[in-house]
């Protein structure tokens, strides 16, 4: 696989390691390189920049990096890679985009001399992105490819399952199938057809209707999707990533909406873009500005003109909404926000590639403005990505539900694709 894709899986796996106690010691180089990538994404912009110590600490905390025990080591490594230069009270960061950041994460990983098992879990994840794999076949392949004993392979697959590097379900036949949330991020419609053709006529009709709705409108609320599919069918489809569920909200609670996994694939490599979920978070925040903000606080009326100005690197504002509706993007290092006067703030875009992708998605369909009007009227102060929500949903499934999903995956694996 290319370095960007490898870097994306390193970041993905590092995020998964956050949820499991002591698992980072088992996959130490993945954890280190992945967190370096996440930190670099937060610190870097398109142009070279100088960040003071306070801002570096704030961005690190927002990325769930411990500033006392982890940050110094990550900064030392980024300096060794000549990506930053440390001063007494500030750092200078080279300008770079997401693709370059993933390549740097891949290089940090490779230079750390990773163990065979770490290389194995990255390749396993990539292979399970294409089609579900029978676990016995996957074990044989990994064992032969990385010269691992049977015990080492069994221990590795146990850890993979516990951490969630890949997901697994058992079909009624007893076969254990391995897959992950990237199954439907490409544009190959044969996979979706294979799944839909295995369903009852009634369920297939409902899935097709939701697919058509999303193709036309880009996104719908989870409430709308549940009304159409029913809770159980939506959960099945969500579990295998046939649909994505994005979560946004603030102190008033979480609000969820459904999108197609391939919505961004038209404009980018989804595996690479999904490593940081920056464009999705940007589209979400812009949605609030277009549909929820009152005119007197800075409601967006000319989205194309606004984005064009941001992409040129210019400041926009001042407006009250800017200080409230773009906190997620500020914490991820996508925009810079500063006070102008009173409660009014202005902002500029630090990662212009994210703005260009958001502009395409908003103006060319797959997340068009008319569909975004269904989102809730609250200021976005947090964003939970589709993979986080999918894993949360899987933890709450019954045994019967898991077996049904296993059968769907078996159909996908053995279907005429």
């Amino acid at each position: 696989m290319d370095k960007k894709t490898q870097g994306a899986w390193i970041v993905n796996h590092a995020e998964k390691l956050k949820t499991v106690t002591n698992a980072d010691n088992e996959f130490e180089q993945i954890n280190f390189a992945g967190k370096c990538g996440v930190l670099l994404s937060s610190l870097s912009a398109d142009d070279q920049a100088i960040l003071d110590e306070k801002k570096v600490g704030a961005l690190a905390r927002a990325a769930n990096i411990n500033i006392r025990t982890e940050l110094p080591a990550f900064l030392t490594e980024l300096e060794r890679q000549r990506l930053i230069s440390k001063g007494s009270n500030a750092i200078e960061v080279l300008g770079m985009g997401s693709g370059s950041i993933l390549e740097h994460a891949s290089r940090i990983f490779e230079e750390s001399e990773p163990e065979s098992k770490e290389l194995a879990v990255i390749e396993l994840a990539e292979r399970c992105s294409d089609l579900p794999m029978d676990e016995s076949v996957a074990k044989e392949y990994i064992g032969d490819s990385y010269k691992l004993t049977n015990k080492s392979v069994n221990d590795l697959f146990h850890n993979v399952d516990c951490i969630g590097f890949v997901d697994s379900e058992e079909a009624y036949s007893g076969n254990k199938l391995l897959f992950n949330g990237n199954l439907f991020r490409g544009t190959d419609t044969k996979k979706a057809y294979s799944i839909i053709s295995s369903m009852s006529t009634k369920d297939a009709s409902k899935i097709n209707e939701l697919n058509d709705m999303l193709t036309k409108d880009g996104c719908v609320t989870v409430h709308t999707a549940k009304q159409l599919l029913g809770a159980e069918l939506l959960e099945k489809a969500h579990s295998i990533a046939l649909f994505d569920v994005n979560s946004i909200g603030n102190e008033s609670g979480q609000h969820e909406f459904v999108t197609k996994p391939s919505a961004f694939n038209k404009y980018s490599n989804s595996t690479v873009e999904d490593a940081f979920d920056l464009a999705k978070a940007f589209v979400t925040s812009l949605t609030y500005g277009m549909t929820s903000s009152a005119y007197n606080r800075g409601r967006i009326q000319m989205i194309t003109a606004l984005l064009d100005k941001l992409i040129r690197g210019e400041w926009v504002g001042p407006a009250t909404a800017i200080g409230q509706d773009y906190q997620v993007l500020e914490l991820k290092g996508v925009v810079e926000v500063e006070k102008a006067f009173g409660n009014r703030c202005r902002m500029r875009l630090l990662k212009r590639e994210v703005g260009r992708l958001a502009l395409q998605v908003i103006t060319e369909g797959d997340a068009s403005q008319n569909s975004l009007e269904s989102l809730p009227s609250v200021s976005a102060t947090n964003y939970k990505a589709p993979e986080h929500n999918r894993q949360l949903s899987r933890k709450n499934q019954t045994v019967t539900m898991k077996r049904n999903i296993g059968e769907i995956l078996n159909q996908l694996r053995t279907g005429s694709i």
Side-chain angles (χ1 to χ4, degrees), residues 7-19:
W9 284 120
I10 290 167
V11 170
N12 175 280
H13 286 1
E15 289 295 307
K16 295 289 179 68
L17 287 169
K18 288 180 182 179
T19 65

Side-chain angles (χ1 to χ4, degrees), residues 130-134 169-173 175-179 183-184 190-200 204 240 242 402-417:
D130 184 28
L131 286 173
M133 294 183 70
D134 188 294
E169 292 293 356
E170 187 174 308
Y172 285 109
S173 63
N175 290 351
K176 191 174 183 180
L177 303 173
L178 308 180
F179 68 104
L183 275 176
F184 301 97
K190 293 180 181 178
K191 293 181 187 179
Y193 176 79
S194 178
I195 290 294
I196 294 169
S197 66
S198 70
M199 298 178 174
S200 68
I240 61 171
L242 189 59
K402 284 180 171 289
R403 283 293 178 89
N404 289 337
I405 291 167
E407 283 304 300
I408 293 175
L409 291 166
N410 193 51
Q411 173 66 26
L412 179 58
R413 184 173 67 87
T414 59
S416 54
I417 298 178

Side-chain angles (χ1 to χ4, degrees), residues 61-230:
R61 288 191 190 94
N64 293 313
I65 291 172
N66 189 299
I67 62 171
R68 292 178 66 87
T69 62
E70 295 181 307
L71 182 59
F74 296 153
L75 292 178
T76 297
E77 177 62 26
L78 295 179
E79 186 172 43
R80 188 183 76 81
Q81 296 286 340
R82 299 182 179 179
L83 302 173
I84 69 169
S85 176
K86 292 192 292 184
S88 56
N89 297 304
I91 65 168
E92 188 170 9
V93 188
L94 292 180
M96 66 193 79
S98 295
S100 296
I101 292 168
L102 294 175
E103 289 177 342
H104 292 312
S106 178
R107 185 171 68 246
I108 291 171
F109 173 70
E110 290 178 343
E111 290 180 0
S112 67
E113 299 182 355
E115 297 182 47
S116 295
K117 63 184 179 183
E118 294 187 280
L119 296 168
V121 296
I122 290 173
E123 182 173 359
L124 180 64
E126 175 66 7
R127 285 182 170 268
C128 289
S129 296
D130 184 28
L131 286 173
M133 294 183 70
D134 188 294
E135 185 185 52
S136 60
V137 174
K139 283 184 173 181
E140 183 178 359
Y141 173 80
I142 292 296
D144 291 345
S145 299
Y146 294 93
K147 306 296 188 292
L148 299 174
T149 65
N150 286 339
K151 182 180 184 308
S152 295
V153 169
N154 288 332
D155 288 345
L156 177 64
F157 274 69
H158 172 75
N159 289 334
V160 162
D161 196 34
C162 290
I163 295 168
F165 287 154
V166 298
D167 296 323
S168 65
E169 292 293 356
E170 187 174 308
Y172 285 109
S173 63
N175 290 351
K176 191 174 183 180
L177 303 173
L178 308 180
F179 68 104
N180 62 37
N182 269 31
L183 275 176
F184 301 97
R185 300 211 182 283
T187 55
D188 184 1
T189 58
K190 293 180 181 178
K191 293 181 187 179
Y193 176 79
S194 178
I195 290 294
I196 294 169
S197 66
S198 70
M199 298 178 174
S200 68
T201 303
K202 183 179 179 180
D203 284 351
S205 177
K206 291 178 179 178
I207 292 288
N208 280 325
E209 188 175 346
L210 181 56
N211 255 322
D212 291 342
M213 188 182 298
L214 291 172
T215 298
K216 176 178 176 288
D217 293 337
C219 68
V220 298
T221 63
V222 164
H223 176 71
T224 298
K226 278 185 179 178
Q227 282 187 318
L228 179 59
L229 300 187

Side-chain angles (χ1 to χ4, degrees), residues 12 15 185 238 244-248 254 256-257 259 273-278 280-281 284 328 332 382-392:
N12 175 280
E15 289 295 307
R185 300 211 182 283
H238 181 208
D244 277 347
V245 175
N246 299 262
S247 177
I248 51 181
Q254 295 297 313
E256 298 175 324
F257 62 96
T259 58
E273 196 282 320
D274 285 348
F276 300 113
D277 287 304
L278 300 180
K280 292 185 181 69
T284 298
V328 174
K332 288 179 176 288
N382 64 68
Y383 171 81
K384 290 184 173 61
E387 182 63 12
H388 171 90
N389 291 320
R390 192 178 69 85
Q391 292 296 330
L392 193 62

Side-chain angles (χ1 to χ4, degrees), residues 290-303:
M290 289 189 295
T291 64
S292 303
S293 289
Y295 288 106
N296 61 1
R297 62 188 294 274
R299 183 170 185 171
I300 298 172
Q301 300 181 58
M302 300 175 65
I303 183 62

